[in-house]
Amino acid sequence: MISALDVPLDLSQPPTITQQSPKDYIVDPRENIVIQCEAKGKPPPSFSWTRNGTHFDIDKDAQVTMKPNSGTLVINIMNGGKAEAYEGVYQCTARNERGAAISNNIVIRPSRSPLWTKEKLEPHQVREGDSLVLHCRPPVGLPPPIIFWMDNAFQRLHQSERVSQGLNGDLYFSNVQPEDTREDYICYARFNHTQTIQQKQPISVKVFSTKPVTEKQPTLLTPTGSTSTKVELRGNVLLLECIAAGLPTPGIHWIKEGGELPANRTFFENFKKTLKIIDVSEADSGNYKCIARNILGSVHHVISVTVKAAPYWITAPRNLVLSPGEDGTLICRANGNPKPNISWLANGVPIAIAPEDPSRKVDGDTIIFSHVQERSSAVYQCNASNEYGYLLANAFVNVLAEPPRILTPANKLYQVIADSPALLDCAYFGSPKPEIEWFKGVKGSILRGNEYVFHDNGTLEIPVAQKDSTGTYTCVARNELGKIQNEVQLEVKDPTMIIKQPEYKVIQRYGQVSFECIIKHDSTLLPTVIWLKDNDELPDDERFLVGKDNLTIMNVTDKDDGTYTCIVNTTLDSVSASAVLTVVARPNPPFDLELTGQLERSVELSWIPGDENNSPITNFVIEYEDGLHEPGVWHYQTEVPGTQTTVQLKLSPYVNYSFRVIAVNEIGRSQPSEPSEQYLTKSANPDENPSNVQGIGSEPDNLVITWEPLKGFQSNGPGLQYKVSWRQKDVDDEWTSVIVANVSKYIVSGTPTFVPYEIKVQALNDLGYAPEPSEVIGHSGEDLPMVAPGNVQVHVINSTLAKVHWDPVPLKTVRGHLQGYKVYYWKVQSLSRRSRRHVEKKILTFRGNKTFGMLPGLEPYSSYKLNVRVVNGKGEGPASPDKVFKTPEGVPSSPSFLKITNPTLDSLTLEWGSPTHPNGVLTSYVLKFQPINNTHELGPLVEIRIPANESSLILKNLNYSTRYKFYFNAQTSVGSGSQITEEAVTIMDEGKMAMASRQVDIATQGWFIGLMCAVALLILILLIVCFIRRNKGGKYPVKEKEDAHADPEIQPMKEDDGTFGEYSDAEDHKPLKKGSRTPSDRTVKKEDSDDSLVDYGEGVNGQFNEDGSFIGQYSGKKEKEPAEGNESSEAPSPVNAMNSFV
């Protein structure tokens, strides 16, 4: 037995209806009527029709034709026929030698759109607040028309909770208002089938007012009464309506008694006046209550809903294909409310009067077939009907004996994506029904197990296909009459993936943004990439640039905001990824600024924020303009959080205010809003007085009073002036006052010199004075001090430092603000040279009422003069008498030069210059020298003292061809000065040079050249190692030896008397050619002085030595003394190493 299987059309089979017109067929009376009836069968069926239950002979009606090879009727209305003449119930029969199939009963009705009947409409005169119903009562049409209300200008009337249209088309007013008065309330009926609109006569409504308007509790306009009933059919849309009158307008609320309104199927329409439930079922039966409520009360109405059901299928009969001798059944089961009646027909004839067939037996809704034969083939009809409709189904029984056949094409290729289901078809036919088996490969075993699903129609399903599922699959169909097989191919492809998806982007307006969409796909599939914006095509805009794997948007604007989706399609799969683009910008300016609550000193400002442009507004800045005093100039007033749209502003009197608001977000500030209306505040006395009041004399006999004037809005009224008052302090004087305007300074003349005054400045305007101002103390003008400091004493501390003392001058003689004292001092002459030079005076200023100070940077063994003067704001007073003092001797500077000439085999000539700064009387020079060997080690140190009047010396008994290092310095009675160093070499013995020339020149021998090259290479390696160690900060042995011998000449600071010693930098003296010097990196830390730097005053000339500097006197440089013994004083250098080698 084969159930519900299509029989190939090359085999005999009863007719099957494939297409027919709807049961209720409303036609346009202006067009031809086409009643469809199509069927298939083998042999092809013939067609016949009945009309209103009797045979319809189409050959006798010239207006009716049947399409060739079809049962479809065409009734020609456009050539003279009338649609009304063909109203009726039509049924089509399709018949061949194996049976007959019938169509539904098709009811043909032409559509109708009748005109409104003529009627005289009286104007409606209604009292304000009353309810009103304007009836439409459209003509009965087929199908019913669509109703709507418009005015004479064809504009739909505005509807609301108060005014709305009911389901019956009437226009309901819960309460009328004066604006409802008009003469063109027009009801329109639109008939869709004929595409016509009918218009009712205009209705006039006039509303007259009565004061006061009486409020009314709710009453129902529709439905009437407290209860009503409603019947609806299963599957339809249930519409329940409640419209109420009342003032204020009542609100409507719906509930279902004893249950809940069905979720997802319940909707409220017409301002909640209509309850809509879609796809209703018997479970939706029950009582539905609508409640209308306003502040005065409520009213309700209960609608009892019953859901009935036209018949609907539970099991519809299905075609049977049986082989001779087989058994089978046809089942027809339907339900409805009330329960439908089931009846059977055979080939369109009630089965009770149809020809008998011994193989069938009718059992209610089932026909049982036993041992069928070929003559048992027929078409059976099942009819299920109740009072609300009927169902009709055709099902044939076709008795055939056929071997298996496979209908799927051979070697059909199936392609699927890995991890997705694969469905391999094996459409088949045969009678008896064939058995289906599947194999993989040519010689594979039969497929079984949970990894496969075998469908009744022969399809093999692989729920999760993998790459190894690829291959050839064989379908085998067999029954008792034969066997057949078919092969199909399966290819499993790699899935398409988006390996880099577009990401959420936030971009500022006019910027550029890119979304990436990088994909991976099967190499045998050709992907296509499509970009969408908000699930629609991209805008046709050259700013959108679609690349191979990205989308770029140039010059982004607000309209580009949205969701962008990358869709990748192949012939087998599709993947997508989306990202949101948020375009941010500075907010739009606020608008609709409004001033309310205007008071004398405050006003409330409100505004409406502009679009925040996707970036929340953080705050609002309020600015104001004073159109009276500073038109066009905007000032900051205050700011409020971004959630606030009103602010209470404090105001000043006599200001013509305008306000504007600026919105701020993370991107920036908006443009200012349009200014608010102007608000001029009333005048008042000034609230405050001028600030920064001062009294300072510019001349010895005046007092200049200055103040910071009030700004325009601080004046609080017209006629702003200032009352300036003053009187001498500590003197029983009356206040002297003067009133001035438009100035910020007043000069009082004829005052005593530098006396204190009490001063005050008060603001006033045309309405009065400001509060009493506070007093400030000022002074009249200063004059130069009258006397010089007395009892000036100088105490010389050491050769470079002195301390000066003086007595303070009486304050009365200062005649001004005491600023301090100035000490003028200058060098008269050097006691060692007795030579005068240009006198350069130096100045030290000591602030405040000090009576002593330190004079640093003095030159040793010199004669100085100084005087002291008092200083006030006007200038300096007279100088004290000059005081002479002398500095003691100090250590000398280094000799000005050391030159070594006339080298011989055993002598060198030394010449030198005396120190530039002897700092005393030179007692002698000290010369120290020592030889340096080829390894840079120092030999024994020799010391010679030379009289101070000498300037040259010949050193004899030296070794020939030897390098010597010399250390030279001068001495005074105080001690040794800085040393100077030089190096020189005695010449080689000429006799030994001649003897060497007579010997064989080994430098030309090959073995010697090779040896020297090896030595040179070794030295180069040593030099590199030395450089590396030196850069790492390591010590060399020579340096360690040198550090072990302290320099005997370094003199520490003398802590006992607080004086400074002469310090020098410790240096490594390397043996360089041509007498060059190499400075050392060793330094001596300067000890702290007992004297505070505060005592040194403020030097006008900046520095304190001969040219103003005294810093150098505390840290002079001095050559390091040579170390005793045969030791090197320096680390070996590459240059010296090469010199020694040569």
Side-chain angles (χ1 to χ4, degrees):
M1 179 183 70
I2 299 178
S3 178
L5 196 66
D6 283 340
V7 181
L9 283 177
D10 61 336
L11 298 177
S12 296
Q13 58 183 291
T16 301
I17 300 291
T18 58
Q19 191 173 2
Q20 58 183 315
S21 292
K23 293 178 181 179
D24 191 7
Y25 189 15
I26 299 175
V27 298
D28 189 335
R30 299 167 300 180
E31 298 179 354
N32 293 339
I33 301 173
V34 178
I35 310 175
Q36 291 184 326
C37 181
E38 304 289 342
K40 66 178 182 177
K42 180 72 175 185
S46 61
F47 296 90
S48 63
W49 285 86
T50 62
R51 178 183 174 192
N52 297 327
T54 61
H55 176 67
F56 182 33
D57 191 351
I58 62 176
D59 294 331
K60 292 183 178 180
D61 191 335
Q63 303 295 330
V64 181
T65 58
M66 185 183 295
K67 290 184 178 180
N69 303 318
S70 168
T72 298
L73 295 182
V74 179
I75 302 173
N76 196 332
I77 300 299
M78 301 179 70
N79 288 333
K82 291 188 177 181
E84 290 80 5
Y86 293 95
E87 281 192 73
V89 180
Y90 293 78
Q91 189 172 44
C92 169
T93 301
R95 186 184 310 273
N96 68 9
E97 60 188 32
R98 286 193 168 245
I102 61 176
S103 70
N104 292 323
N105 287 328
I106 302 171
V107 179
I108 301 295
R109 293 185 296 170
S111 65
R112 292 186 292 273
S113 52
L115 298 174
W116 247 291
T117 56
K118 294 287 186 181
E119 59 180 328
K120 184 176 181 182
L121 300 176
E122 296 294 333
H124 292 266
Q125 295 194 5
V126 194
R127 185 172 54 205
E128 181 181 356
D130 288 353
S131 61
L132 173 66
V133 180
L134 300 182
H135 297 288
C136 180
R137 300 191 183 99
V140 178
L142 187 68
I146 297 172
I147 305 301
F148 51 93
W149 289 80
M150 295 198 299
D151 58 16
N152 274 331
F154 297 100
Q155 298 297 314
R156 286 185 180 267
L157 296 177
H158 176 69
Q159 298 190 26
S160 62
E161 288 187 342
R162 186 178 65 84
V163 182
S164 61
Q165 177 183 317
L167 294 176
N168 63 357
D170 292 347
L171 191 62
Y172 292 86
F173 294 78
S174 296
N175 53 80
V176 294
Q177 302 295 325
E179 60 266 24
D180 296 327
T181 298
R182 62 190 307 158
E183 297 180 351
D184 57 349
Y185 288 95
I186 305 173
C187 181
Y188 288 85
R190 183 174 68 217
F191 298 91
N192 282 344
H193 254 72
T194 58
Q195 297 296 309
T196 57
I197 296 177
Q198 304 291 350
Q199 173 184 336
K200 186 182 179 74
Q201 291 292 323
I203 301 174
S204 175
V205 174
K206 184 176 182 181
V207 179
F208 56 92
S209 299
T210 57
K211 299 297 182 179
V213 177
T214 304
E215 293 184 336
K216 300 177 177 63
Q217 66 181 19
T219 58
L220 286 175
L221 297 176
T222 184
T224 58
S226 60
T227 62
S228 60
T229 61
K230 172 80 171 180
V231 176
E232 190 57 79
L233 292 181
R234 179 179 185 271
N236 287 354
V237 176
L238 173 65
L239 293 173
L240 304 178
E241 180 180 58
C242 273
I243 300 178
L247 184 68
T249 303
I252 305 296
H253 179 63
W254 290 90
I255 61 172
K256 183 181 181 183
E257 293 183 341
E260 298 290 333
L261 295 174
N264 302 323
R265 295 188 293 116
T266 301
F267 304 92
F268 298 100
E269 297 180 343
N270 197 22
F271 310 98
K272 290 193 174 183
K273 300 175 186 179
T274 302
L275 171 65
K276 176 180 177 181
I277 302 177
I278 63 173
D279 192 23
V280 295
S281 64
E282 289 85 343
D284 294 321
S285 296
N287 292 332
Y288 292 82
K289 179 187 287 187
C290 71
I291 304 168
R293 178 180 286 110
N294 68 8
I295 59 175
L296 299 181
S298 64
V299 65
H300 68 269
H301 183 92
V302 177
I303 305 173
S304 180
V305 175
T306 303
V307 178
K308 298 290 185 178
Y312 56 91
W313 290 118
I314 296 176
T315 304
R318 304 168 73 184
N319 294 335
L320 283 178
V321 178
L322 302 175
S323 62
E326 275 194 309
D327 301 337
T329 57
L330 285 178
I331 301 174
C332 177
R333 289 179 184 156
N335 202 358
N337 187 9
K339 191 171 180 63
N341 178 51
I342 303 294
S343 61
W344 288 96
L345 296 87
N347 296 323
V349 177
I351 202 166
I353 60 175
E356 289 190 9
D357 183 350
S359 65
R360 76 173 179 238
K361 177 184 176 182
V362 178
D363 185 8
D365 58 7
T366 304
I367 301 179
I368 303 171
F369 297 93
S370 305
H371 303 289
V372 297
Q373 301 299 319
E374 188 173 350
R375 66 178 179 274
S376 300
S377 296
V379 181
Y380 292 86
Q381 289 81 35
C382 173
N383 186 300
S385 61
N386 66 11
E387 62 186 277
Y388 296 108
Y390 73 93
L391 292 173
L392 177 68
N394 292 278
F396 65 65
V397 175
N398 195 15
V399 181
L400 294 172
E402 285 292 327
R405 62 170 69 183
I406 294 178
L407 307 178
T408 300
N411 292 315
K412 184 175 181 180
L413 176 63
Y414 293 90
Q415 294 179 325
V416 298
I417 294 296
D419 297 326
S420 62
L423 297 172
L424 309 182
D425 292 333
C426 184
Y428 65 91
F429 184 80
S431 184
K433 180 180 178 180
E435 293 182 359
I436 304 298
E437 294 178 327
W438 280 93
F439 301 84
K440 184 178 181 184
V442 179
K443 297 181 180 180
S445 58
I446 187 169
L447 298 181
R448 291 187 178 90
N450 295 331
E451 55 185 308
Y452 302 102
V453 177
F454 302 96
H455 293 273
D456 289 342
N457 63 358
T459 296
L460 169 67
E461 179 181 353
I462 306 175
V464 183
Q466 302 295 332
K467 293 287 285 186
D468 58 4
S469 302
T470 299
T472 301
Y473 290 79
T474 303
C475 165
V476 177
R478 59 166 59 90
N479 66 9
E480 62 190 37
L481 300 178
K483 167 188 170 184
I484 192 171
Q485 69 180 38
N486 186 39
E487 294 180 353
V488 295
Q489 307 297 322
L490 174 62
E491 291 181 357
V492 181
K493 307 290 187 181
D494 289 326
T496 304
M497 295 184 294
I498 300 177
I499 59 177
K500 188 162 187 182
Q501 300 185 356
E503 298 177 346
Y504 173 72
K505 296 291 181 69
V506 177
I507 190 70
Q508 289 192 33
R509 188 186 295 164
Y510 310 125
Q512 175 179 324
V513 67
S514 289
F515 291 107
E516 287 188 295
C517 185
I518 300 177
I519 64 173
K520 179 182 178 182
H521 61 91
D522 193 285
S523 58
T524 63
L525 300 177
L526 183 62
T528 58
V529 179
I530 301 173
W531 285 91
L532 301 179
K533 179 183 182 294
D534 297 330
N535 295 321
D536 205 350
E537 293 183 357
L538 290 178
D540 184 14
D541 192 328
E542 60 184 9
R543 296 182 300 109
F544 288 78
L545 306 176
V546 178
K548 177 183 176 183
D549 45 23
N550 61 45
L551 167 66
T552 301
I553 309 173
M554 314 285 290
N555 196 23
V556 172
T557 63
D558 291 340
K559 65 181 181 181
D560 299 329
D561 201 274
T563 301
Y564 289 82
T565 304
C566 166
I567 301 177
V568 185
N569 293 318
T570 68
T571 54
L572 298 182
D573 62 349
S574 177
V575 291
S576 65
S578 298
V580 174
L581 173 62
T582 300
V583 181
V584 297
R586 295 184 300 171
N588 292 349
F591 58 93
D592 282 357
L593 272 65
E594 183 179 5
L595 296 178
T596 55
Q598 289 93 337
L599 301 174
E600 289 187 5
R601 294 295 182 103
S602 68
V603 69
E604 185 175 271
L605 173 66
S606 61
W607 62 90
I608 298 176
D611 193 334
E612 63 184 18
N613 292 323
N614 294 322
S615 180
I617 295 174
T618 57
N619 57 293
F620 292 99
V621 177
I622 294 90
E623 296 180 339
Y624 72 91
E625 175 197 30
D626 182 359
L628 194 62
H629 304 100
E630 292 180 291
V633 179
W634 290 91
H635 301 276
Y636 173 86
Q637 172 92 7
T638 187
E639 59 185 84
V640 297
T643 56
Q644 189 172 327
T645 57
T646 60
V647 63
Q648 193 78 18
L649 300 175
K650 293 183 179 180
L651 306 180
S652 295
Y654 194 55
V655 177
N656 194 11
Y657 281 100
S658 290
F659 299 98
R660 69 182 186 184
V661 182
I662 299 170
V664 182
N665 63 10
E666 287 187 356
I667 310 304
R669 295 162 62 100
S670 72
Q671 291 293 320
S673 67
E674 291 295 322
S676 69
E677 60 181 299
Q678 290 187 329
Y679 176 47
L680 178 61
T681 54
K682 294 182 179 180
S683 301
N685 293 11
D687 293 324
E688 52 191 309
N689 288 301
S691 59
N692 196 24
V693 176
Q694 293 182 334
I696 301 174
S698 61
E699 297 295 337
D701 60 349
N702 73 7
L703 172 65
V704 179
I705 302 174
T706 60
W707 60 90
E708 187 74 31
L710 298 182
K711 295 182 180 179
F713 73 92
Q714 296 174 307
S715 66
N716 286 5
L720 176 64
Q721 294 177 300
Y722 302 101
K723 179 182 179 182
V724 183
S725 304
W726 66 94
R727 68 180 178 184
Q728 189 171 338
K729 190 174 183 296
D730 300 329
V731 177
D732 191 15
D733 280 352
E734 295 295 328
W735 287 95
T736 303
S737 300
V738 63
I739 293 179
V740 296
N742 302 320
V743 295
S744 60
K745 178 173 72 173
Y746 183 77
I747 300 176
V748 180
S749 301
T751 64
T753 300
F754 195 67
V755 295
Y757 278 86
E758 294 175 327
I759 304 167
K760 58 183 179 180
V761 180
Q762 186 179 23
L764 66 152
N765 61 18
D766 291 351
L767 280 78
Y769 285 88
E772 185 67 22
S774 58
E775 300 171 5
V776 299
I777 302 298
H779 286 81
S780 57
E782 299 180 64
D783 205 346
L784 293 177
M786 300 172 61
V787 300
N791 193 23
V792 177
Q793 300 292 329
V794 179
H795 172 58
V796 177
I797 296 174
N798 59 32
S799 60
T800 60
L801 181 66
K803 186 174 185 180
V804 59
H805 292 264
W806 61 88
D807 291 340
V809 299
L811 289 179
K812 289 185 178 181
T813 66
V814 176
R815 299 201 296 182
H817 295 286
L818 175 64
Q819 294 187 355
Y821 292 87
K822 284 186 179 181
V823 176
Y824 285 73
Y825 65 102
W826 62 98
K827 179 179 176 181
V828 178
Q829 66 178 13
S830 173
L831 299 179
S832 60
R833 294 184 177 176
R834 307 297 181 183
S835 60
R836 293 184 177 274
R837 60 175 182 171
H838 173 69
V839 176
E840 181 182 358
K841 289 188 177 181
K842 299 174 186 177
I843 305 172
L844 284 177
T845 300
F846 299 91
R847 297 290 182 186
N849 196 23
K850 292 194 67 173
T851 60
F852 67 93
M854 306 299 290
L855 304 181
L858 304 177
E859 292 186 14
Y861 205 50
S862 299
S863 176
Y864 280 87
K865 286 185 179 181
L866 66 76
N867 59 51
V868 184
R869 309 177 192 197
V870 67
V871 182
N872 67 10
K874 189 71 172 179
E876 300 175 4
S880 66
D882 291 348
K883 189 74 174 179
V884 179
F885 66 95
K886 296 177 182 180
T887 57
E889 287 188 84
V891 295
S893 64
S894 61
S896 58
F897 66 88
L898 175 61
K899 184 166 59 173
I900 304 173
T901 59
N902 301 327
T904 66
L905 286 175
D906 62 352
S907 68
L908 292 170
T909 301
L910 280 67
E911 298 177 356
W912 60 86
S914 60
T916 306
H917 301 288
N919 294 336
V921 178
L922 296 182
T923 59
S924 63
Y925 292 100
V926 177
L927 173 65
K928 299 177 183 180
F929 64 93
Q930 56 191 150
I932 304 173
N933 64 17
N934 289 339
T935 61
H936 305 290
E937 293 179 347
L938 298 174
L941 185 67
V942 179
E943 179 176 329
I944 300 174
R945 288 192 175 271
I946 305 169
N949 58 354
E950 296 291 338
S951 62
S952 65
L953 176 67
I954 298 175
L955 281 179
K956 297 180 180 180
N957 299 321
L958 302 177
N959 297 328
Y960 67 89
S961 187
T962 300
R963 179 178 295 276
Y964 287 90
K965 186 167 186 178
F966 298 92
Y967 310 89
F968 192 68
N969 62 284
Q971 287 186 333
T972 65
S973 60
V974 176
S976 298
S978 302
Q979 65 185 14
I980 186 172
T981 65
E982 271 294 352
E983 293 182 9
V985 182
T986 57
I987 65 175
M988 185 177 288
D989 189 341
E990 293 180 359
K992 293 187 178 183
M993 289 176 60
M995 183 181 297
S997 65
R998 290 194 296 269
Q999 296 176 354
V1000 178
D1001 189 359
I1002 62 173
T1004 61
Q1005 302 301 309
W1007 64 269
F1008 182 76
I1009 294 174
L1011 178 61
M1012 291 301 102
C1013 290
V1015 173
L1017 179 60
L1018 180 60
I1019 291 173
L1020 181 60
I1021 293 173
L1022 290 174
L1023 291 176
I1024 293 173
V1025 172
C1026 290
F1027 276 129
I1028 294 174
R1029 289 190 61 194
R1030 192 164 193 172
N1031 289 336
K1032 291 183 177 179
K1035 279 191 174 183
Y1036 298 97
V1038 174
K1039 181 66 174 177
E1040 293 171 356
K1041 292 179 182 180
E1042 184 177 342
D1043 291 342
H1045 297 274
D1047 191 339
E1049 296 299 326
I1050 295 179
Q1051 301 178 16
M1053 176 176 164
K1054 300 176 184 178
E1055 296 184 356
D1056 54 348
D1057 59 0
T1059 60
F1060 292 87
E1062 296 293 333
Y1063 293 110
S1064 67
D1065 291 338
E1067 298 182 358
D1068 293 336
H1069 303 292
K1070 300 177 183 178
L1072 302 177
K1073 288 185 176 182
K1074 299 182 181 178
S1076 61
R1077 305 179 187 176
T1078 303
S1080 169
D1081 58 356
R1082 297 172 61 198
T1083 59
V1084 177
K1085 180 178 179 181
K1086 183 176 69 175
E1087 299 294 339
D1088 294 336
S1089 171
D1090 289 340
D1091 297 316
S1092 170
L1093 289 179
V1094 175
D1095 297 335
Y1096 288 87
E1098 301 174 10
V1100 176
N1101 296 336
Q1103 299 180 356
F1104 306 106
N1105 53 21
E1106 283 187 334
D1107 55 355
S1109 170
F1110 69 92
I1111 303 301
Q1113 297 296 325
Y1114 296 129
S1115 58
K1117 290 189 177 180
K1118 183 175 181 181
E1119 287 288 351
K1120 180 179 176 182
E1121 285 291 338
E1124 296 290 342
N1126 189 21
E1127 294 180 348
S1128 174
S1129 64
E1130 62 172 359
S1133 76
V1135 176
N1136 291 335
M1138 292 303 295
N1139 289 342
S1140 175
F1141 172 74
V1142 174

